[in-house]
Amino acid sequence: MTKTTASAPVLSPRALNRATLDRQLLLRRSGLSAKAAVGHLLGLQAQNVKPPYYALAARLDGFAPEELSELMADREVVRIVTMRSTIHTHTAEDCLTLRPLVQPARDRELINFRKGLQGVDLDRLAALARELVEAEPRTMKQLREALLTEWPDADPQALAIAARCKLPLVQVTPRGLWGRSGQVALTTAQHWLGRPTELSPTELSPTEPSPTEPTPTGPTPDATVLRYLAAFGPASVKDMQTWAGLTRLRDAFERLRPRLRIFRDENGVELFDLPDASRPAEDTPAPPRFLPEFDNLLLSHADRTRVVPKEHWGRSWQGNQAYCTLVVDGFLAGVWKLTGDTLVVEPFDRLTKAQQKDVSAEGQRMLATLHPGTSYDIRFGTVVGR
């Protein structure tokens, strides 16, 4: 611990919790538009179609799912693989800048598939895949089959993944639209949005960098660090690296240090924050919120105890099944699901009568926002099979 860090103010887990909830628009609902909120939050986790809608319903006052759906139909927001190699819903602007930011991690991901890509010229593959998906959107199956004609001895799955890693591929609509169905079909972000991505390399390197690979040079990630702190701070260097799936961010934080406030957590870890950012008192009331599976609130810090109590770590998923989560008093407190005409809530601990009343009211609000005109019962029971 440096002398500066040792003298920095300490933020308790509850203080970090309240600050993070405030940045995440979960301490009180925001009047932001859906597009502004997606931008402020640096994207929404979107492995499935519905989570971004549930994420915004928990955060915005007056949100209607049609608002996000229309943005997607108008190509103002898109679905694309970015942070942590997972699908996110981003504004068009962030798609064009954040995807290149994490490109080193996508290049690194290809190492896991090198056995199935022996003899494959990856530059040639990227060029061919671009021609294919810009001629017409392709499913991963169609992309595999087309690339296999060029490299018949390669692993078909590895070929398609290589195309996804080498190119910024977005999922075209109707996939992602509220109340609509559609298979995943892909084209390039440049083609879909009608403008180029920022293709300059960054000085970031992927997790577990290869010692034989030179560190890329180019524009700094400083602006993204500031935006990350605005949405997830106060935070450590490792916190942002966890969010992005990248390493070597220390230099960016050091460049910004004169402009930032420095804190530490109860373990002495150095935390950075914007000087004028809100840090509510730790006793600030935090209403319950129904969040989708894999919400970024739960995934974007190396130390998740600011939101996930240690005794509940791992309880929001079982095997490969992730569950929608319930936050009570700012912390992970249970899981939930819609089954038939019933919203089933499973708290991890006993809730007080007042908490049950608040959870039920929030559940009714969520249902009225996303499923208006449909009658649901709310039941406190078992979601996770035992």
Side-chain angles (χ1 to χ4, degrees):
M1 184 185 304
T2 66
K3 183 177 180 180
T4 301
T5 303
S7 62
V10 175
L11 295 176
S12 69
R14 287 188 67 86
L16 287 171
N17 175 272
R18 291 324 195 239
T20 305
L21 291 177
D22 196 39
R23 314 291 172 87
Q24 282 287 298
L25 314 180
L26 290 167
L27 203 56
R28 63 191 63 81
R29 282 190 169 82
S30 169
L32 289 174
S33 68
K35 183 177 180 180
V38 173
H40 167 73
L41 296 166
L42 283 165
L44 302 169
Q45 209 51 36
Q47 283 96 324
N48 298 315
V49 169
K50 292 182 179 179
Y53 295 90
Y54 282 93
L56 291 181
R59 291 169 163 90
L60 301 185
D61 186 31
F63 172 72
E66 292 77 17
E67 185 182 359
L68 179 61
S69 196
E70 289 172 4
L71 289 169
M72 195 164 293
D74 293 340
R75 309 188 188 189
E76 293 187 52
V77 302
V78 296
R79 295 165 54 85
I80 184 172
V81 172
T82 51
M83 276 71 72
R84 304 182 301 279
S85 193
T86 57
I87 300 168
H88 278 67
T89 293
H90 286 295
T91 65
E93 293 78 13
D94 279 349
C95 167
L96 298 171
T97 55
L98 292 177
R99 180 55 171 79
L101 186 76
V102 299
Q103 183 58 45
R106 303 291 70 76
D107 292 338
R108 182 68 180 174
E109 186 180 347
L110 281 175
I111 294 175
N112 299 324
F113 300 92
R114 58 183 178 272
K115 184 176 179 181
L117 294 170
Q118 291 183 4
V120 176
D121 182 332
L122 292 178
D123 289 337
R124 164 69 178 149
L125 179 145
L128 179 57
R130 181 183 293 277
E131 292 177 6
L132 290 166
V133 299
E134 291 186 351
E136 62 176 310
R138 309 274 180 147
T139 66
M140 287 290 275
K141 180 177 182 293
Q142 292 170 333
L143 200 51
R144 287 196 302 268
E145 293 173 348
L147 294 173
L148 199 59
T149 62
E150 183 78 11
W151 293 282
D153 296 327
D155 175 62
Q157 185 68 14
L159 289 173
I161 290 174
R164 189 195 69 184
C165 288
K166 296 293 288 183
L167 297 174
L169 297 180
V170 300
Q171 297 183 2
V172 304
T173 53
R175 182 70 175 179
L177 300 183
W178 185 252
R180 299 278 300 276
S181 61
Q183 62 183 339
V184 176
L186 305 165
T187 190
T188 63
Q190 300 98 320
H191 186 72
W192 187 245
L193 299 174
R195 39 189 166 146
T197 54
E198 299 287 340
L199 292 178
S200 301
T202 75
E203 63 180 25
L204 300 184
S205 293
T207 303
E208 299 179 7
S210 168
T212 62
E213 295 174 352
T215 302
T217 59
T220 69
D222 298 22
T224 305
V225 170
L226 297 175
R227 292 184 62 196
Y228 171 78
L229 293 176
F232 296 98
S236 69
V237 175
K238 286 186 178 180
D239 286 332
M240 184 173 174
Q241 290 176 167
T242 296
W243 166 78
L246 297 162
T247 61
R248 301 185 186 178
L249 277 167
R250 170 63 65 179
D251 288 349
F253 278 85
E254 292 302 329
R255 283 192 299 271
L256 292 167
R257 182 181 290 273
R259 299 169 53 186
L260 301 175
R261 284 203 64 183
I262 309 300
F263 298 91
R264 55 192 171 103
D265 67 15
E266 292 184 336
N267 296 315
V269 175
E270 186 175 50
L271 304 173
F272 296 84
D273 203 9
L274 304 177
D276 298 327
S278 174
R279 287 175 288 275
E282 61 181 53
D283 60 352
T284 301
R289 293 289 186 256
F290 286 83
L291 299 177
E293 63 270 31
F294 298 121
D295 193 276
N296 274 334
L297 174 71
L298 306 178
L299 298 176
S300 301
H301 298 89
D303 181 357
R304 301 177 187 177
T305 56
R306 69 174 65 197
V307 178
V308 183
K310 290 181 179 179
E311 63 268 25
H312 297 330
W313 175 250
R315 296 189 67 180
S316 61
W317 67 85
Q318 188 176 68
N320 292 326
Q321 174 66 50
Y323 295 97
C324 299
T325 53
L326 171 69
V327 174
V328 175
D329 189 31
F331 293 88
L332 175 67
V335 294
W336 63 273
K337 69 176 179 180
L338 282 176
T339 174
D341 59 356
T342 304
L343 170 61
V344 183
V345 182
E346 181 183 344
F348 296 148
D349 299 306
R350 184 179 297 276
L351 300 178
T352 66
K353 288 184 179 180
Q355 287 175 326
Q356 282 202 23
K357 181 179 178 181
D358 290 344
V359 168
S360 295
E362 178 64 17
Q364 291 285 7
R365 189 188 190 287
M366 180 265 289
L367 294 169
T369 297
L370 294 171
H371 306 282
T374 303
S375 178
Y376 285 90
D377 292 327
I378 298 179
R379 177 170 62 85
F380 289 85
T382 300
V383 173
V384 182
R386 292 191 177 94

